[in-house]
Amino acid sequence: MASHRRPKQPSRTRVTVLTATAAAAVALSSQAAQADPHQSKKDVKSEVDKLYGEAEQATEKYNGVKEQQEKLQKEVDDLQDKVARGQGELNQLRKGLGAVASGQYRSGSIDPSVQLFLSGDPDTYLEKAATLDQLSGKQADQLKTIADKQRRLAQERAEAAGKIKDLSETRKALGDKKDEIKGKLGKAQELLNTLTAKERAAMQAEENRADRSNERVNLGDDVPASQRGAAALQAAQAKIGSPYVWGATGPSSFDCSGLTSWAYQQAGQSLPRTSQAQANAGTRISSQSALKPGDLVLFYSDLHHIGLYAGNGQVLHAPKPGASVRYEPIGNMPFAFGVRV
């Protein structure tokens, strides 16, 4: 990849540390946290960054639960459709056998086999049918089909009930994780509120400098990992400046794994939703020196952060709440390993 100077991005409203966090967090208490007179701006920033890291950990867990919820919902819908179709087929079979019974009633003699079926217990019928001389081969086939259909329908209903219970539990877990994320972001905002206007402006200036660094980053001339990897990186580069929003998968905002999954989707490759799952999406690369543009890069021991290797020691990622998609030196975070999709 040739030396790269990022093309000038379309102007977009920059989401600041304060406004993005306020939008993501739950409504803050009317009584802001009181500042510790001995707590410096550096201490506050360190604590805020720690809370942002914890919020991102919770976000990746939220993403995993949300993916599970969507899968369960589809399974429940499919099972319920299957049960409805099965019930319709069973009703048709019963209707057909009922017509046989009506004809026999009008002729003055209802077949004992049909009487037994109409009692509502075809399983009992099947156990006793062999003793009925009046049972025709066709009726035997019909009744066996109905009994088998009833058994399958009962199993599918039980399976659907179990999935619905799982779905209910998953929805509760999703709500709990969402509350945890908002709580972390709320605490971070309370800490930021303890700073003076001058201190907040200084912190914002640091974020602005980090964003502006995208315009002069040198990506070197590393050869991409693959044509697909190059396409994914190019798609992500088009989103530089987009805000980090937890749980977001694009196209206007992203969290870390939302950006990587979206970028590879544009390249025609489906990736799992979470950073931990994406860690198994290809061949692992243990050495930073072996990374190529387009490779996934995992950070931290629990793999809760992910980005795309861009070349020359730079990673392109959605960093944290209040920040935008940008390049950053790979050494700024604890490297775990890379993945070549």
Side-chain angles (χ1 to χ4, degrees), residues 3-184:
S3 178
H4 173 78
R5 182 177 294 275
R6 183 178 70 84
K8 186 170 181 60
Q9 300 296 315
S11 65
R12 68 178 76 229
T13 302
R14 293 288 181 177
V15 180
T16 67
V17 171
L18 301 177
T19 57
T21 306
V26 291
L28 298 176
S29 167
S30 59
Q31 294 184 348
Q34 295 300 311
D36 181 343
H38 303 294
Q39 193 172 33
S40 67
K41 184 188 78 170
K42 182 178 178 181
D43 292 335
V44 169
K45 184 179 185 305
S46 176
E47 184 62 23
V48 166
D49 286 343
K50 178 174 178 288
L51 286 165
Y52 282 162
E54 291 172 357
E56 189 176 43
Q57 286 177 299
T59 294
E60 286 306 293
K61 291 177 182 176
Y62 169 90
N63 291 336
V65 175
K66 190 170 187 292
E67 186 177 44
Q68 183 184 6
Q69 180 199 30
E70 290 167 353
K71 180 183 176 183
L72 279 170
Q73 185 65 65
K74 185 178 185 307
E75 290 175 354
V76 166
D77 291 344
D78 289 346
L79 278 168
Q80 288 179 331
D81 286 345
K82 192 174 180 181
V83 166
R85 288 194 303 273
Q87 186 63 57
E89 292 168 3
L90 184 59
N91 291 342
Q92 287 299 315
L93 288 168
R94 284 173 167 165
K95 185 178 178 182
L97 201 58
V100 172
S102 296
Q104 292 179 346
Y105 177 79
R106 285 192 297 270
S107 67
S109 62
I110 298 181
D111 189 321
S113 63
V114 178
Q115 288 180 349
L116 189 55
F117 167 72
L118 294 177
S119 70
D121 189 358
D123 284 341
T124 301
Y125 166 80
L126 289 172
E127 293 172 4
K128 298 180 179 179
T131 66
L132 296 173
D133 294 335
Q134 297 91 339
L135 182 61
S136 71
K138 183 178 180 181
Q139 288 171 342
D141 289 343
Q142 285 178 316
L143 287 167
K144 186 176 185 307
T145 299
I146 290 173
D148 290 344
K149 177 69 71 176
Q150 284 182 318
R151 289 193 197 96
R152 285 197 300 273
L153 207 53
Q155 290 170 354
E156 288 162 3
R157 283 193 173 116
E159 186 179 355
K163 294 287 184 185
I164 289 170
K165 182 175 182 293
D166 291 343
L167 183 59
S168 176
E169 292 172 353
T170 301
R171 282 175 175 158
K172 182 181 183 305
L174 196 64
D176 291 345
K177 196 56 62 180
K178 187 175 183 179
D179 290 344
E180 180 183 350
I181 294 165
K182 289 183 174 181
K184 299 285 185 186

Side-chain angles (χ1 to χ4, degrees), residues 228-265:
R228 185 163 287 174
L233 178 59
Q234 185 177 24
Q237 286 169 332
K239 294 301 178 180
I240 289 174
S242 298
Y244 177 103
V245 174
W246 68 269
T249 58
S252 57
S253 58
F254 304 88
D255 61 21
C256 68
S257 58
L259 175 66
T260 51
S261 60
W262 179 88
Y264 263 94
Q265 186 178 35

